[in-house]
Amino acid sequence: MTFVATCDLFDRFKDDARFVLPGFRDFGAVTRFSGPAVTVKCFEDNSRVKELLATPGAGRVLVVDGGGSLRCALMGDMIAASAVRNGWAGVVIWGCVRDVAELAALDLGVKALAATPRASTRRDQGLANVPAELPGATVRPGDVVFADEDGIVILTAEQAAGLK
């Protein structure tokens, strides 16, 4: 997937582009990334996040609807390292991460609300490949995520195909 700056995308698509409201911070070594979305909806349980990031990413972006919880982290250094090994382009988490120093050294785009030292409790809960709600935008499996220092823009696969 060719990266296009989020400001340029918004200028081109205007209100036909979905964008995530501000508040997400960069935690990975990569601050500009894009790719087709794989989605997870979970609350304070990162079971599905760990499972999916252990599979071949093929340049995709995992979008995690963590309900905006600041009570625990949905990804840390070991899960993020698995994502790198498996070829994921990035992870967007409406929630927290941990192991910030280690995440900053990984060749992975990571956007999340904040950091916390508390890990999630795995209870084998959460749903994959369902619409993920982020502040201001719904992300569906197969949408294309573009993320950079200015924010996060979501396009349909059809819109993204016209960027070539």
Side-chain angles (χ1 to χ4, degrees):
M1 175 63 44
T2 301
F3 177 80
V4 179
T6 59
C7 291
D8 293 341
L9 289 172
F10 197 80
D11 289 347
R12 177 172 175 178
F13 289 97
K14 309 266 186 252
D15 291 333
D16 289 332
R18 288 166 281 154
F19 68 97
V20 178
L21 295 176
F24 285 76
R25 295 175 39 203
D26 287 307
F27 289 95
V30 176
T31 57
R32 295 177 173 201
F33 60 95
S34 62
V38 175
T39 59
V40 171
K41 187 174 185 79
C42 59
F43 187 75
E44 298 182 0
D45 179 344
N46 68 353
S47 299
R48 299 291 88 76
V49 174
K50 181 179 180 186
E51 287 171 5
L52 284 167
L53 292 176
T55 66
R60 295 176 296 170
V61 175
L62 183 65
V63 177
V64 181
D65 175 352
S69 175
L70 302 177
R71 294 175 30 88
C72 64
L74 294 174
M75 186 178 73
D77 62 336
M78 293 189 307
I79 293 174
S82 173
V84 172
R85 284 191 305 274
N86 288 298
W88 289 84
V91 182
V92 175
I93 299 175
W94 187 28
C96 291
V97 294
R98 61 188 233 153
D99 303 311
V100 172
E102 292 82 358
L103 293 181
L106 291 175
D107 190 26
L108 182 68
V110 178
K111 284 196 176 280
L113 294 179
T116 184
R118 184 174 184 252
S120 75
T121 302
R122 289 199 191 111
R123 300 176 306 279
D124 198 33
Q125 296 178 350
L127 300 171
N129 299 311
V130 297
E133 298 294 331
L134 299 181
T138 299
V139 183
R140 291 170 186 81
D143 282 345
V144 182
V145 177
F146 294 85
D148 63 17
E149 300 87 347
D150 288 306
I152 304 166
V153 171
I154 313 299
L155 298 180
T156 64
E158 294 78 20
Q159 288 171 317
L163 293 174
K164 298 179 181 186

